[in-house]
Amino acid sequence: MDGFTTRSVEVAEGVHLRVDLSHEPSAPDRPTTAVVLLHGFPQTRHMWRHVAPLLADEHFVLCPDLRGYGASGKPAASTPDVYAKRTMAADVIALADALGVQRFVVVGHDRGAHVAFRAALDHPGRVSHLAGLDVLPTVETWDVLHGAQAAVAFHLYLMAQPPGLPEAMIRGSADAFFGHFLDAWTRDPAAIPAPVREHYLRASREAIDSIVADYRALAGIDVEHDLASRAGGERLRMPVTVLQQDWGAQLGFDAAALWRSWAPDLQHVTTAAGHFMAEEAPGEVVEVIRALARRSGRW
């Protein structure tokens, strides 16, 4: 991204995150209010290439590749917690620590939204505002997938299987598998031009094991963590905005109500853009983030 610098930051033993920064943290006369942008699947931090520069005049913008994706570290999933969203959220906190950021707005799309959600629950003193783009919380994601309509999320069930088979199946036709989502979830194909598409395909081919481990965690340890949080009465104690397609209406659930059970201070907005809204409608996404950052918490 023009004007951004790239660094590699160690966030756990042997795990580095590659991150694009709008400026160095010590740069004089630059914005200090931080916004962390977390990408989705099957993408990398490059998905924010239109959004991040538009925010840089007002904010210190950080765009990392998540653990297991892009140019960031891809540790072996030796235990279930390696790709738990709690662990990946801790990576984000460690990144903020390394860059001297105490509190920040976190915006997550798809996979990144699950990480952002857990960061906000586990570290409410660090996350000032939360935005989730086109996703439901983990438990609710599984709760709303019923019958034949759940076929739209076949990849969740595939990658939830024990290690071995999903990785082998995807590795046998990686470009077809990852390319399916880039095509099926995009309303404006021009939003992901051929060079960007190839970047996403190449990055995904090189991260099959860690991507599957991330999804496998969503069907296991992440559910356990969210159920424990729900039972403990934990809620998102900051302003929350959710921007998503109106797929709740298509699948027969009230997305805003599901989110409000976690987020009392919620603004829920639907968009006409496709799933990859940061690339299809970057101006809309930027305005949502700006409006969120201006809100004061009411909790």
Side-chain angles (χ1 to χ4, degrees):
M1 287 179 279
D2 290 343
F4 279 59
T5 61
T6 302
R7 290 174 60 175
S8 184
V9 177
E10 186 172 30
V11 294
E13 185 175 357
V15 180
H16 289 73
L17 297 190
R18 188 68 59 86
V19 57
D20 288 339
L21 307 174
S22 58
H23 56 270
E24 289 299 321
S26 59
D29 302 321
R30 294 301 304 271
T32 57
T33 304
V35 175
V36 179
L37 303 176
L38 304 178
H39 67 84
F41 161 91
Q43 298 172 290
T44 69
R45 68 190 192 278
H46 192 60
M47 67 160 281
W48 300 111
R49 64 193 179 279
H50 303 308
V51 170
L54 296 176
L55 295 171
D57 287 342
E58 302 173 53
H59 302 283
F60 175 33
V61 184
L62 300 77
C63 303
D65 282 336
L66 296 169
R67 170 189 292 237
Y69 289 80
S72 287
K74 302 172 182 64
S78 54
T79 60
D81 66 308
V82 172
Y83 286 95
K85 302 311 160 290
R86 173 162 282 160
T87 302
M88 297 169 78
D91 289 346
V92 176
I93 298 301
L95 175 66
D97 287 342
L99 296 172
V101 173
Q102 292 303 308
R103 280 174 65 77
F104 54 90
V105 178
V106 63
V107 181
H109 174 253
D110 189 87
R111 313 306 299 160
H114 290 293
V115 177
F117 176 83
R118 179 47 59 183
L121 280 179
D122 286 356
H123 308 278
R126 305 296 297 275
V127 175
S128 63
H129 301 73
L130 167 67
L133 307 185
D134 218 31
V135 76
L136 291 176
T138 300
V139 173
E140 284 74 12
T141 295
W142 293 108
D143 285 348
V144 303
L145 296 174
H146 302 296
Q149 288 182 320
V152 300
F154 76 94
H155 60 300
L156 298 184
Y157 295 93
L158 172 63
M159 290 191 275
Q161 302 310 308
L165 181 62
E167 293 88 343
M169 292 177 67
I170 295 169
R171 194 168 284 113
S173 55
D175 283 5
F177 179 75
F178 295 115
H180 164 78
F181 302 104
L182 293 173
D183 297 336
W185 293 349
T186 305
R187 293 187 181 175
D188 177 12
I192 304 180
V196 174
R197 190 178 193 276
E198 178 52 37
H199 163 70
Y200 291 152
L201 292 178
R202 182 175 63 254
S204 297
R205 284 196 303 269
E206 295 172 353
I208 291 171
D209 289 349
S210 52
I211 289 174
V212 175
D214 169 33
Y215 272 88
R216 186 175 289 120
L218 192 77
I221 193 168
D222 293 339
V223 173
E224 296 173 14
H225 290 160
D226 280 13
L227 288 175
S229 292
R230 177 191 281 174
E234 295 179 38
R235 296 295 181 269
L236 297 166
R237 298 179 177 273
M238 67 282 298
V240 176
T241 296
V242 174
L243 175 66
Q244 59 190 159
Q245 301 174 87
D246 195 12
W247 42 278
Q250 301 172 37
L251 297 179
F253 63 87
D254 184 339
L258 295 177
W259 269 106
R260 194 164 287 110
S261 70
W262 288 99
D265 189 356
L266 173 72
Q267 289 190 0
H268 186 272
V269 184
T270 56
T271 177
H275 180 67
F276 302 113
M277 54 191 65
E279 290 161 297
E280 293 189 47
E284 181 179 3
V285 171
V286 167
E287 288 309 309
V288 164
I289 296 170
R290 285 174 173 161
L292 170 65
R294 291 193 294 264
R295 280 166 57 197
S296 297
R298 294 191 293 272
W299 247 46

